[in-house]
Amino acid sequence: MSEELHAVRLRVNGTSYDVRVPARRLLSDALRHDLGLTGTHVGCEHGVCGACTVLLDGTPVRSCLMFAVSAIDAEITTVEGLTNDDGSLGPVQQAFKECHGLQCGFCTPGFLTTVTAGLAANPDPSREEAREIVAGNLCRCTGYQNIVAAVQRAAALRQAQGPAEGVAP
Ligand code: FES
Ligand code: FES
């Protein structure tokens, strides 16, 4: 018996996408497989690692814990949406690059979205606050020191650049 499909309009990084998905389609799978936005990574698939984090109306969520049909009224921001309007690296991306905040990069999309939301809430975090911002995300490679440095560097770049950073409000 074929599975019932639901017509869903997802708004991602300022673009609307019409897809037909089963009710059980995870948002992470819809982004990657239905929309082709493979920047969102899937690690643990049960809400622990944070690799799949996207922003829903600016709030970080685990897209592996959410159904796509639950996201129809939200503005979704994935890592692809964190660039500046001219396509150059946004401040959080640039900071991770400058500070060597990634090695294999698998966890990085989730860190970038998480840090983007964290800096929107706290634009000038102390080192301890920077650690708190990324405390829910797991990285197997970097030992976190460079990631924490990148959070503070991103804060500086963001302040120099002004409030607009390619993230939909
Ligand atoms: S893949 Fe979603 S939290 Fe790990
Ligand atoms: S950079 Fe490899 S898991 Fe974080």
Side-chain angles (χ1 to χ4, degrees):
M1 195 173 90
S2 63
E3 197 165 7
E4 184 183 358
L5 298 179
H6 301 266
V8 171
R9 175 166 292 177
L10 295 172
R11 189 152 171 86
V12 187
N13 304 326
T15 300
S16 292
Y17 298 84
D18 291 308
V19 292
R20 289 176 61 78
V21 294
R24 66 188 174 88
R25 174 82 92 244
L26 297 172
L27 178 57
S28 51
D29 288 338
L31 291 170
R32 289 178 54 82
H33 302 304
D34 296 298
L35 274 52
L37 296 171
T38 53
T40 297
H41 289 172
V42 174
C44 67
E45 293 189 88
H46 56 265
V48 174
C49 73
C52 67
T53 304
V54 300
L55 305 181
L56 242 67
D57 296 326
T59 299
V61 299
R62 308 297 213 211
S63 61
C64 74
L65 294 185
M66 187 168 179
F67 294 122
V69 294
S70 304
I72 53 175
D73 293 324
E75 180 68 43
I76 302 164
T77 304
T78 67
V79 67
E80 288 93 343
L82 299 186
T83 54
N84 293 320
D85 290 342
D86 65 2
S88 61
L89 294 180
V92 182
Q93 296 168 314
Q94 182 66 31
F96 270 70
K97 180 181 174 190
E98 285 181 17
C99 298
H100 308 289
L102 64 147
Q103 288 183 37
C104 80
F106 191 84
C107 68
T108 308
F111 273 94
L112 296 179
T113 50
T114 300
V115 171
T116 297
L119 293 180
N122 180 0
D124 188 19
S126 65
R127 194 162 177 82
E128 192 52 39
E129 288 168 337
R131 297 182 73 87
E132 286 170 16
I133 287 172
V134 296
N137 290 58
L138 301 181
C139 174
R140 295 197 208 191
C141 297
T142 68
Y144 296 94
Q145 300 305 320
N146 292 355
I147 291 175
V148 173
V151 175
Q152 291 192 291
R153 175 64 180 150
L157 289 173
R158 193 172 170 276
Q159 283 174 1
Q161 192 177 82
E165 58 175 39
V167 178

